[in-house]
Amino acid sequence: MSCGFIIPVYRHGSTLGPVIRQLLPLGLPVIVVDDGNNEKDRAYIQAAGQLSPLVHTVYRAKNGGKGRAFSDGARKAQELGLTHIFQVDADGQHDTGACAAFLAASEEHPDAVICGCPRFDESAPAARRRGREFSNAWARIVSWNTDIRDVLCGFRIYPLAPYLRLLDRHVYISPRMGFDTDVLVRLLWQGLPLVNKDVRVSYPADGISNFRMVRDNIGISLTYTRLCAGMLLRLPLLLTRLLARLFRQCRHSREDSRTRTAGLNPGGTDSGAAGREGGA
């Protein structure tokens, strides 16, 4: 397994340097994608690019959204010969101390998406928490996957090859606030396993948000509309997978029951027969 970080950056140039400094001790490539920033933020990005030879910078001419920036980073990861890509936001909200545990989980489950599940502190707005629950519920429905705990956290490890398959098939992936949900559901449709890991998340009082109320709410609504349509088209496949999963669970349950029974009666002795022999 060969993993590297991808950090899309738009209007968070001032927080990028500290994030990269926290990641560099892990000794992995760091791909920074400048998503059409202004001169001030681009200067921060250029300075961060000088922190280590491990830092690789990709420049986009104009802002296209987190999804397009991340996909450009994935293409760069392919050039570098990486097998896995670790998505980290540039705003410093995620606890990068969790990276080692995520990387270990990816080593253990190389075919899986390692998905961050936020553990919020008191700085998290209550409205955002409620909104996440709504998004999570819809994602479980359209993916037919009840293992989903969070679809909005931008702290994840993806196997690179399945992600590139989405790009090579020219699948439309939401470029902005719907990206994290869209790509996760589509990878689950491919049959990738999901491993959830906790990560602490904080919201600095002076943090910069790229969320645009009207534009992004419309975009997220359209994302779920497309995913619902995609779910309906995939119903035969999803139903087949569900039945296969239920069959495996029943088989494992029977095997566990036989194992417990054998443990209670290790000699295989028929207690009823033994009682009859004793009575004779």
Side-chain angles (χ1 to χ4, degrees):
M1 172 179 154
S2 177
C3 189
F5 297 99
I6 298 180
I7 310 177
V9 187
Y10 184 64
R11 300 176 67 224
H12 290 120
S14 61
T15 53
L16 174 64
V19 171
I20 291 178
R21 289 187 184 93
Q22 293 164 11
L23 301 178
L24 287 176
L26 294 166
L28 302 177
V30 179
I31 300 169
V32 175
V33 185
D34 175 355
D35 190 20
N37 284 277
N38 59 26
E39 290 302 319
K40 180 181 177 180
D41 282 295
R42 181 158 293 187
Y44 282 119
I45 292 169
Q46 291 170 342
Q50 303 301 313
L51 291 174
S52 168
L54 290 171
V55 180
H56 305 265
T57 307
V58 176
Y59 291 98
R60 292 177 52 83
K62 62 180 182 179
N63 176 252
K66 178 181 181 178
R68 292 192 179 103
F70 189 81
S71 294
D72 284 357
R75 291 297 188 192
K76 183 64 177 181
Q78 183 181 30
E79 292 177 16
L80 296 175
L82 302 181
T83 61
H84 290 70
I85 46 180
F86 198 148
Q87 175 185 340
V88 177
D89 288 348
D91 56 13
Q93 291 183 356
H94 299 124
D95 175 20
T96 54
C99 288
F102 275 63
L103 291 166
S106 190
E107 287 276 5
E108 185 178 354
H109 307 280
D111 296 329
V113 178
I114 314 301
C115 191
C117 301
R119 284 194 292 119
F120 295 110
D121 62 16
E122 62 281 358
S123 66
R128 291 203 179 189
R129 298 193 193 196
R130 290 192 295 269
R132 295 183 93 89
E133 285 309 311
F134 178 82
S135 296
N136 294 338
W138 267 109
R140 294 181 193 112
I141 292 170
V142 297
S143 65
W144 282 38
N145 193 315
T146 57
D147 293 334
I148 290 176
R149 286 174 53 197
D150 191 275
V151 292
L152 300 178
C153 184
F155 195 84
R156 296 176 181 168
I157 300 179
Y158 301 107
L160 180 58
Y163 188 91
L164 292 177
R165 280 199 296 271
L166 291 178
L167 301 186
D168 291 341
R169 292 172 184 167
H170 304 288
V171 173
Y172 179 82
I173 302 173
S174 176
R176 297 190 183 274
M177 291 298 173
F179 167 74
D180 292 314
T181 300
D182 204 349
V183 71
L184 179 62
V185 169
R186 292 183 182 280
L187 290 175
L188 294 179
W189 281 346
Q190 286 190 31
L192 269 66
L194 177 65
V195 175
N196 295 300
K197 298 287 290 183
D198 287 346
V199 58
R200 291 200 306 270
V201 177
S202 60
Y203 285 84
D206 58 349
I208 298 173
S209 174
N210 289 325
F211 186 79
R212 297 293 177 266
M213 183 66 70
V214 176
R215 181 196 69 186
D216 290 323
N217 276 322
I218 291 173
I220 291 169
S221 298
L222 290 174
T223 296
Y224 277 108
T225 300
R226 287 187 292 101
L227 291 176
C228 284
M231 176 196 69
L232 295 175
L233 292 173
R234 292 169 175 82
L235 276 179
L237 173 62
L238 296 173
L239 182 59
T240 300
R241 285 180 182 166
L242 176 62
L243 294 174
R245 186 163 62 247
L246 292 174
F247 175 78
R248 288 194 299 270
Q249 290 172 353
C250 289
R251 186 181 62 188
H252 292 157
S253 178
R254 289 196 300 269
E255 291 173 353
D256 290 343
S257 179
R258 285 196 293 267
T259 300
R260 287 194 297 270
T261 301
L264 292 173
N265 190 16
T269 304
D270 185 334
S271 57
R276 289 193 296 274
E277 290 174 4

